[in-house]
Amino acid sequence: MSALDLLPEAIAGTNAEAADAHARDLDALAAKLERKGLDADALKAKVAAFTVAIPSWGTGTGGTRFARFPGPGEPAGIFDKLDDCAAIHRLCRATPDVSLHFPWDGDDPAALKQKGDALGIGFDAVNSNTFQDQPDQAHSYKHGSLSHQSKATRDQAIAHNIRCIEIGAAIGSKALTVWVGDGTNFPGQQDFTGQLDRYLESAKAIYAALPSDWRMFTEHKIYEPAFYSTIVQDWGTSYLIATELGDKAQCLVDLGHHAPTVNVEMIVARLAAFGKLGGFHFNDSKYGDDDLDSGAIDPYRLFLVMNEVLRAEAKGANLAHMIDQSHNVTDPIESLIASANEARRAYAQALLVDQDALRHAQESNDALLASETLKAAFRTDVEPLLAEVRREAGGALDPLVAYRASGYRQAVAKERPVSSGAGGGIV
Amino acid sequence: MSALDLLPEAIAGTNAEAADAHARDLDALAAKLERKGLDADALKAKVAAFTVAIPSWGTGTGGTRFARFPGPGEPAGIFDKLDDCAAIHRLCRATPDVSLHFPWDGDDPAALKQKGDALGIGFDAVNSNTFQDQPDQAHSYKHGSLSHQSKATRDQAIAHNIRCIEIGAAIGSKALTVWVGDGTNFPGQQDFTGQLDRYLESAKAIYAALPSDWRMFTEHKIYEPAFYSTIVQDWGTSYLIATELGDKAQCLVDLGHHAPTVNVEMIVARLAAFGKLGGFHFNDSKYGDDDLDSGAIDPYRLFLVMNEVLRAEAKGANLAHMIDQSHNVTDPIESLIASANEARRAYAQALLVDQDALRHAQESNDALLASETLKAAFRTDVEPLLAEVRREAGGALDPLVAYRASGYRQAVAKERPVSSGAGGGIV
Amino acid sequence: MSALDLLPEAIAGTNAEAADAHARDLDALAAKLERKGLDADALKAKVAAFTVAIPSWGTGTGGTRFARFPGPGEPAGIFDKLDDCAAIHRLCRATPDVSLHFPWDGDDPAALKQKGDALGIGFDAVNSNTFQDQPDQAHSYKHGSLSHQSKATRDQAIAHNIRCIEIGAAIGSKALTVWVGDGTNFPGQQDFTGQLDRYLESAKAIYAALPSDWRMFTEHKIYEPAFYSTIVQDWGTSYLIATELGDKAQCLVDLGHHAPTVNVEMIVARLAAFGKLGGFHFNDSKYGDDDLDSGAIDPYRLFLVMNEVLRAEAKGANLAHMIDQSHNVTDPIESLIASANEARRAYAQALLVDQDALRHAQESNDALLASETLKAAFRTDVEPLLAEVRREAGGALDPLVAYRASGYRQAVAKERPVSSGAGGGIV
Amino acid sequence: MSALDLLPEAIAGTNAEAADAHARDLDALAAKLERKGLDADALKAKVAAFTVAIPSWGTGTGGTRFARFPGPGEPAGIFDKLDDCAAIHRLCRATPDVSLHFPWDGDDPAALKQKGDALGIGFDAVNSNTFQDQPDQAHSYKHGSLSHQSKATRDQAIAHNIRCIEIGAAIGSKALTVWVGDGTNFPGQQDFTGQLDRYLESAKAIYAALPSDWRMFTEHKIYEPAFYSTIVQDWGTSYLIATELGDKAQCLVDLGHHAPTVNVEMIVARLAAFGKLGGFHFNDSKYGDDDLDSGAIDPYRLFLVMNEVLRAEAKGANLAHMIDQSHNVTDPIESLIASANEARRAYAQALLVDQDALRHAQESNDALLASETLKAAFRTDVEPLLAEVRREAGGALDPLVAYRASGYRQAVAKERPVSSGAGGGIV
């Protein structure tokens, strides 16, 4: 028996217990929405259609350069990870797809596809890894990958990305996300422009290998692992790269990859306005790329981002929504459930914005009323609506409660080997 | 007839229109709170007891070094300002006191007291101004005030603070807030320690003049108007100053006066833990000391601060709550109403935190559950409760709607002279 | 007699006093450069060719939203300002041009040209001001200018920019710098994309009025005077605007207009790589747009920017170098002299970089050697070279000493009316 | 034969080659200093007395949470590390002491002492590690160490610190540095004050075990590895901890552990003014705790810190100077040599500041002259003086050149096992 088999009963049981209170909360919310002229059913349909992909690597406990503290029952490989992703989706019904990372997730597309099909899990964008060295690797990425001074190293990194596309094509993915750590730690270490030229040349070789119905996502990040300069340091460079590459190239916005105080929702709007917004890596942050749980630190910012998502989608944008977090002190399954819920919450709140009132306030320069219009939507407690969407899709009214009740983690802890804390010790 | 006389009818009228919807929203909320074992009446009493002082200077339109764009009907002097403060309080019933700033607000305590009494307005902490030169001033504050190299300049600044105490004593204030712009724009401009020594000597002279039942608030700010160093640059220096001065000296936390990314709620907790938390200047910010409306940018941060306020108050802290904002693009009265409401909202949400669940999550290192416990409180829409508290005190269910319905601004615009944009032109 | 007539004697006198020490320092430096295979005369010629424009508004004392503290002898109008600019150039021989700002600098091109010719001063880029209201203005810029919701307001701002071009054309300028404060203070206040669309439409109307040999500079700034969003918030938006406009549009980089920690020299490299680097507003900063004296806070950063300037110029870029600072606590003439010197110093140090060694270190991924190569150039004390360039051009070996010796400030203080502190009082 | 034996010949050989140029540079500098009334010999003595301790962990290649890329000849254990430290000191003669980290550096004080004596290396402050779990550890530090909810975990962490003191006492150390990663990743995860109370209780138990002639250093850090709050988040908390503990407790300032834009040199001055400055962890940073090479990013900031060091030392402070860096892309030996040199350079430049001129400028509010006084010292190229100090002590005129000439790294690479990239893979 798989640990996944523990879930249906836990879902049914906890749903039954919560049914009454849920019904009352839902009624109250529906009445309130109705008073505002909103149709709860239409909202539910839109919320149900909003899904986020789970990163396979997010199911393991993350860490920092100082240490990694494993938890019980950590996934030992990609098949365990896919089990965990399936568990998440069965509970929250918001995460039908998984985003894979290679070579972390092996090189056996047939087995991946088979496992995914068996679990009812699909595959979102595939991710290449040229920021680490693998044991059997000919050329080191210590001094860069796609932008490396040496053509042999660049070619190796290009070949890896093309292999990612091949695997992705075999499992039904439609996009490649390219994030590299290339950069410098010292002024002068590399010439900014020469480095970017080499990067562009490499990226073009990868782009040329894209199937016709694929997209290639370029992702910016201000710093880390490089600490003086990073080659795709901001959305400006990301936009220029995507533009150089062509129509299939778009920009991915990781919410935590910006300088302090930067207005991220505005960057989303800019990329959308110029036709290059491809999607998101959701997470939250207080200091840097903290990779904290979505909405854990600044839920209003997430709501403001979702406002721009809605505007972009209204204009026809096809956005890839993915979570990218590091779960250092929680059960990763719980964090991913909560984060998917937070993303949907912010999306649902954004759906409640009175667009006519907002437009009127903007046109009359009524800043306060515009602000209040957004906040009125934000402070609506949409949790009953989110719960109902889950329930209708077979999920849990309260997925965390159901998960804890299921004993899933304890069950897999018995089956899976104890993970080491490897990764610590670099200071 | 005073413009204030327009308010009662507007409050009554708009309250009548909103009565039904309000009753239903309030019932739904009360039912929900009851299901959670919370007593709505007890909550209302606590919320009603939470008030914030209005800064007299906040009733005028603010500006930047680039420009100031006045609005219609700006207060021409302190009596107009007190009228506006009274209007705010009558609408929102959350702001019974005004915080004055001298010499901006004149030097006639008897007249101030009389006007305050007539309006039913009290006086919170008084503020001294030694960051500007006045026309008749003997010594310039260009190079500092309480920390100036010249004893004559320091003595002048000390004397002004003592005069502020005298005025405050005459009008019923019980605290003096000392914020200075003293600092440097160049490395080496002043010796950090010598400058602080002079500051401390001056502060002690002011402290010595405090009545026995007064407090003196020291307020830190990382930068502006000085751009290389500021003498009370952070809570550490503020704490040390308050400690050097004595028990009547406490630290004021202006939410926008910190370096980017700093955890402000933790600073609040630290000052409370070491017995030096005196109160707040509420506002919100995205980049620097933006002085934006409270809760306009990051309402969750405001909620987290209020969590610490509750903890401090539970341990006996007597905190001064004041707004300090610059209203550049809105009607200041509207911004102050909305901000007082946001402060109360965050306070009310903090009151909803399930403290037992939180403590249990903390004790069992259950980070996710702790976070969810806070967020469950935060996402409760307490607006019906806030509205009911206002209504019971004679205020408006929706103070902004009532204010706009009253025609107050249009009425005062007819009486008050048009304000100039003076203040612009400094780049 | 003009105060400018005091300078020649002061220059001659102080040069004579410093001649011996200067000769020895210069000999030592020349010997050192020769040992490194560098030709001091070639370096001198390159340094002499590097000039920076003085902003007319920089000759007055600046201020903050809190206060402005005027100094003695402040310029009463543009003709006084041009006198001060001439004084600066005669002392440091690095600032032959002035950048004007309208309507601050009047509307009489013939008089400006005549005065400039009389002083031997040329005119660099002209700057438009649509971030302040003028007394006789039909439409307020309180809620924006080129991006305003109202076409009438936008047209007024367009017309002002076109008038700036006309004045500039009449006095020999070849570029228009467009910086606007348009933005928002609240989430939702304006739609990001609609606002940018309006801005672009307005900018195109201005661009259409450019003479064929002119350039139009678009300048980004992360925040201030708007505190939630700014329409041209970063180089990415600035680049896209310049690209939409056409070949004559280029991006201006003000060193202080970026988010904390951002790598500014990399932005310079990116704009140069994509053909849109137009020039600079030099200054220094620690916290925000502090507008401190160039090189006063982080001289190594200025040096790294100059490295990119050299690379861009080597590829044919024609860059406009301007100072943009706020002199709040110093004599503006002294700050401008020192800042022009710092810009030249960093440029001269960049000229000393051993480019072969640097390239070799980069190609061999020798990060430490690359860093050391830059730092070897940076730590060379090039002051004797800079002094000699000044001396040969008729300027002062030590311009600050000569300026103080001249009594220029005291002389103009007798002639010019005392400036008020107007501008204070906005909090 | 030890690889260390390769150094004398390399030093002698490269010194001979550089002797002539060095002599000329030194003469020119001495002449210049003499013209300024400075005594080169006195300066040399002061510079020679300024030393910095090498962190044992800094001799290995560092990394990030993304990856670690080992270099050739990495030290396999503490004895290899001490060899590398000895090599560094023999070349640069500025690093006579090593700072150890336990349990990384084993638990055999006798062997450590013997090895140190054999190499002529002393031991500076010892560091405890309670931010990682060790294989045989009873209680995990996943949720904290000295502040953990569980007394058993706290006791374990206390015992480890006391063991560090014991080892340190046996090898001649006189200080314990306590840095913990304790903090939270979510609002609400722990009560700020309860957590600090537990920390203080634990710290007091450690303090009680200090020998009478020891110091205990408390070290603050704004974030990482915790990303919402860190228990000793800034100098304010660090100061309060040190004050609670007693006279033997002092604060350590790691230059990279502050919020963006914070004025670090001012914090140094504040801690010195209040008697709690204990010493430094030198490094440089652009974004966060980048742990880059000292002086690599902002050498002027390092100079300004050294100005405060001089002031503190003049008042009797006994400061511990240590390097704490992560060398990810360079040979750690080269980075440590360069960094020790940069620290000394900044110290030497600070010694050149004309203190009389500075004081006079400060007293007369002459900000520009004060700034110029500092910069005149900073831009003096003191490298010939530093080289001479090394030469006189038996070191290399150019230690990097000598190191590369020696073949030390190649020699140890033959002896030492290839290091794995372990530590990567946590994202």
Side-chain angles (χ1 to χ4, degrees), chain C residues 259-274:
Chain C
T261 78
V262 159
N263 187 323
V264 178
E265 54 269 27
M266 190 174 185
I267 288 173
V268 174
R270 287 288 181 266
L271 285 170
F274 289 91

Side-chain angles (χ1 to χ4, degrees), chain B residues 243-396:
Chain B
T243 300
E244 291 278 317
L245 293 180
D247 288 347
K248 289 185 284 185
Q250 295 182 322
C251 301
L252 201 67
V253 179
D254 181 295
L255 301 188
H257 286 189
H258 305 85
T261 80
V262 159
N263 188 324
V264 178
E265 53 270 29
M266 189 173 186
I267 288 173
V268 174
R270 287 287 181 267
L271 285 170
F274 288 91
K276 282 298 186 190
L277 182 64
F280 295 90
H281 273 183
F282 291 115
N283 51 54
D284 210 335
S285 60
K286 183 155 185 62
Y287 303 102
D289 182 29
D290 305 334
D291 272 338
L292 298 179
D293 287 15
S294 298
I297 302 297
D298 188 350
Y300 195 52
R301 180 168 52 188
L302 184 59
F303 165 79
L304 295 172
V305 166
M306 287 299 180
N307 271 291
E308 300 305 325
V309 164
L310 281 180
R311 288 176 188 279
E313 290 182 345
K315 292 181 185 168
N318 167 25
L319 303 181
H321 300 302
M322 294 170 270
I323 292 175
D324 186 6
Q325 300 172 171
S326 184
H327 311 110
N328 301 353
V329 297
T330 58
D331 179 332
I333 288 178
E334 297 192 0
S335 275
L336 287 164
I337 288 172
S339 297
N341 201 35
E342 287 303 294
R344 265 200 175 163
R345 185 192 315 285
Y347 187 81
Q349 290 165 327
L351 285 168
L352 298 184
V353 172
D354 184 337
Q355 294 295 339
D356 288 338
L358 182 62
R359 194 177 317 107
H360 182 261
Q362 290 170 348
E363 285 170 3
S364 53
N365 293 310
D366 192 338
L368 198 92
L369 204 56
S371 172
E372 291 290 317
T373 301
L374 290 188
K375 297 197 78 178
F378 174 70
R379 67 178 180 244
T380 307
D381 186 356
V382 296
E383 184 62 28
L385 191 78
L386 305 181
E388 182 64 9
V389 168
R390 282 191 296 269
R391 194 193 61 78
E392 293 183 359

Side-chain angles (χ1 to χ4, degrees), chain C residues 120-135:
Chain C
I121 285 288
F123 295 104
D124 204 85
V126 291
N127 299 265
S128 59
N129 177 340
T130 63
F131 51 84
Q132 290 182 320
D133 286 351
Q134 306 303 324

Side-chain angles (χ1 to χ4, degrees), chain C residues 24-25 32 35 261 263 286-287 295-300 334 342 345 366 368 375 379 381 404, chain D residues 24-25 32 35 261 263 286-287 295-300 334 342 345 366 368 375 379 381 404:
Chain C
R24 275 177 295 193
D25 286 342
K32 181 172 179 170
R35 284 203 294 281
T261 78
N263 187 323
K286 182 153 186 62
Y287 304 99
I297 302 297
D298 188 350
Y300 195 52
E334 296 192 1
E342 287 303 293
R345 184 192 318 283
D366 192 338
L368 197 93
K375 296 197 77 177
R379 68 178 180 244
D381 186 356
R404 293 192 175 191
Chain D
R24 276 177 296 191
D25 286 341
K32 181 172 178 169
R35 281 202 296 281
T261 78
N263 188 323
K286 182 155 186 62
Y287 303 101
I297 302 297
D298 188 350
Y300 195 52
E334 296 192 1
E342 287 303 293
R345 185 192 316 284
D366 192 338
L368 197 94
K375 296 197 77 177
R379 67 179 181 243
D381 187 355
R404 291 191 176 193

Side-chain angles (χ1 to χ4, degrees), chain D residues 396-419:
Chain D
L397 285 173
D398 188 327
L400 291 171
V401 166
Y403 171 69
R404 291 191 176 193
S406 75
Y408 178 92
R409 180 59 70 189
Q410 292 82 349
V412 296
K414 287 182 194 151
E415 298 164 5
R416 299 174 180 174
V418 174
S419 163

Side-chain angles (χ1 to χ4, degrees), chain A residues 178-192:
Chain A
V178 180
W179 174 74
V180 298
D182 294 36
T184 67
N185 275 7
F186 290 85
Q189 183 179 338
Q190 289 297 332
D191 174 72
F192 292 132

Side-chain angles (χ1 to χ4, degrees), chain A residues 350-409:
Chain A
L351 285 168
L352 298 183
V353 172
D354 183 338
Q355 294 295 338
D356 287 340
L358 182 62
R359 195 178 315 108
H360 183 261
Q362 291 170 348
E363 286 170 2
S364 51
N365 294 310
D366 192 338
L368 197 93
L369 203 57
S371 173
E372 290 291 316
T373 302
L374 289 187
K375 297 197 77 179
F378 174 70
R379 66 178 180 242
T380 307
D381 186 356
V382 296
E383 184 61 28
L385 191 79
L386 305 180
E388 182 63 9
V389 168
R390 283 192 295 270
R391 195 195 60 78
E392 292 183 357
L397 285 173
D398 189 326
L400 291 172
V401 167
Y403 171 70
R404 291 191 176 193
S406 75
Y408 179 91
R409 180 60 70 191

